[in-house]
Amino acid sequence: KPANEVQFAASNKLKNTNYQNVYNDIANVIRENDEHDDYIGSGPVLLRLAWHASGQFDSKQEIKGGSYNGTLRFDKELSDPSNAGLKYAFDLLKPIYKKYNHQISHGDLFTLAGVVAVQEMGGPKIPWRYGRVDGDIETVPLNGRLPDANQNANYVRNFFHRLNFLEDKEIVALIGAHCVGKTHLKNSGFEGPWGAATNMFTNEFFRNLLTEKWVLEKNEAGNQQYNNDKGYMMLPTDMALVQDGSFKKIVEEFANDESSFFKVFSSAFNKLLENGIKFEKSSPVLYFKTLDEQDI
Ligand code: ZEM
């Protein structure tokens, strides 16, 4: 075996520089699967995969969850009703997992896919570290820890406190990820996109919250959602961001200043992906170039 292969096998990790190759492989998967969901593409659903792979974290429980053990790969977790629609995203990543042949863990792959999705859709750079491991089935957290979209501002704030987001700014920024993708009746019981540019990471979500005329309506699944005359929608938890005075001030700031949104989103998303993880000192913070920046 060549020396570097032996080294990989020993450390079970890729050399730092090679994660840009994994990034590029994921970015190419996004490029190749641009027809998904009526040409929204595969970026949004990969971002949602990274969020759900991390957002079931609960430090107070015996099985804490989070991204560390890469447990979203197990049917037990994938079949959580909250994860409906994410098998497609997991399947997109399977060939990449295979290609690196145990040199990358599922947790690292899922979280890196979120970073790739944000950056390739034009969002901010997200710092990222490797070092998660494939935990066994005993490390799968109980279903039902992801948030309920039918709730109000207090619920949203308390939910994100569980994930160590104590500042309203971080919470509002994270939900700003609803600038991309859409809701699907068959997945969640909600229907429609949040805006016009469904595969571009921008502050449109915040602008729409403030400027569109929203009407509360019952959808075909019997759930209440806010609709406007352009076919956009907002979840009750989205609308909570303008119903609460403190949240609303931040929505206004982000609507007026995209760079402020990007800055807070970048650090909060990095924290979300790393909840509950103590990285080895040798694991550096990595930043990746987009395909465009590499002229690929
Ligand atoms: Zn979402 N999200 N989310 N979210 N989310 C959906 C879709 C997407 C909530 C929620 O209930 C829903 C965050 C926070 C919260 C994305 C990213 C992030 C959908 C629609 C629902 C119902 C799923 C479907 O039908 O396919 C709630 C209640 C949240 C907090 C209160 C955070 C944080 C995110 C990332 C940082 C993304 C990208 C989508 C779009 C997926 C797609 O397939 O288009």
Side-chain angles (χ1 to χ4, degrees):
K1 273 190 173 175
N4 61 343
E5 258 190 67
V6 175
Q7 191 196 322
F8 287 162
S11 68
N12 206 18
K13 279 168 198 157
L14 292 176
K15 280 197 285 184
N16 302 342
T17 48
N18 286 358
Y19 284 98
Q20 179 72 58
N21 293 343
V22 187
Y23 177 106
N24 289 1
D25 287 340
I26 300 169
N28 277 315
V29 160
I30 294 175
R31 269 199 185 164
E32 286 155 17
N33 292 279
D34 63 336
E35 79 294 352
H36 174 64
D37 210 2
D38 292 326
Y39 287 90
I40 289 175
S42 299
V45 72
L46 283 169
L47 173 53
R48 182 166 167 251
L49 177 83
W51 139 240
H52 281 205
S54 313
Q56 23 65 327
F57 180 70
D58 187 347
S59 65
K60 292 202 175 65
Q61 301 295 322
E62 201 180 312
I63 300 175
K64 295 188 172 28
S67 67
Y68 187 71
N69 292 295
T71 49
L72 191 54
R73 74 187 189 279
F74 289 111
D75 282 342
K76 199 176 153 197
E77 186 167 334
L78 261 184
S79 64
D80 186 330
S82 294
N83 288 330
L86 291 180
K87 194 180 175 301
Y88 166 81
F90 178 34
D91 286 345
L92 285 181
L93 297 177
K94 278 180 182 166
I96 299 175
Y97 182 79
K98 255 195 157 154
K99 175 178 171 185
Y100 290 94
N101 189 24
H102 300 292
Q103 292 173 12
I104 186 164
S105 66
H106 280 94
D108 282 347
L109 190 57
F110 295 155
T111 53
L112 182 56
V115 171
V116 177
V118 170
Q119 293 193 182
E120 293 298 311
M121 290 190 287
K125 297 271 179 182
I126 314 285
W128 181 85
R129 287 188 276 188
Y130 60 81
R132 297 163 191 79
V133 299
D134 278 1
D136 62 21
I137 194 134
E138 307 297 321
T139 63
V140 179
L142 287 180
N143 287 356
R145 290 194 194 167
L146 288 155
D148 172 0
N150 296 295
Q151 301 288 335
N152 64 16
N154 279 335
Y155 171 94
V156 170
R157 200 173 269 118
N158 283 326
F159 177 87
F160 280 98
H161 285 176
R162 196 194 82 203
L163 298 180
N164 297 321
F165 295 105
L166 303 180
E167 286 183 35
D168 284 354
K169 250 195 179 171
E170 300 176 292
I171 298 168
V172 175
L174 283 172
I175 297 174
H178 287 168
C179 58
V180 294
K182 70 182 284 285
T183 63
H184 308 81
L185 216 60
K186 65 176 166 39
N187 291 344
S188 60
F190 295 97
E191 182 55 43
W194 290 273
T198 49
N199 54 20
M200 285 166 62
F201 200 96
T202 67
N203 65 348
E204 186 191 347
F205 171 77
F206 300 115
R207 286 184 275 116
N208 288 347
L209 266 176
L210 294 172
T211 58
E212 292 300 320
K213 191 169 173 290
W214 299 107
V215 182
L216 187 60
E217 289 172 342
K218 201 178 235 181
N219 67 28
E220 280 174 48
N223 291 316
Q224 304 266 5
Q225 64 176 60
Y226 294 85
N227 298 319
N228 78 349
D229 56 5
K230 298 173 185 157
Y232 309 158
M233 65 84 68
M234 289 286 165
L235 300 166
T237 47
D238 298 320
M239 200 54 74
L241 303 183
V242 287
Q243 290 163 343
D244 176 279
S246 162
F247 280 155
K248 190 178 181 188
K249 278 208 186 82
I250 302 163
V251 170
E252 286 165 348
E253 180 187 326
F254 291 162
N256 288 320
D257 181 1
E258 188 176 71
S259 69
S260 167
F261 164 45
F262 276 19
K263 198 171 154 226
V264 183
F265 182 85
S266 174
S267 69
F269 191 54
N270 166 264
K271 184 163 139 188
L272 173 72
L273 303 182
E274 297 193 350
N275 251 328
I277 304 179
K278 283 200 181 73
F279 286 96
E280 288 173 28
K281 287 213 173 60
S282 61
S283 178
V285 176
L286 304 180
Y287 285 88
F288 299 102
K289 291 198 163 98
T290 62
L291 291 184
D292 274 356
E293 285 167 344
Q294 300 166 78
D295 291 320
I296 297 177

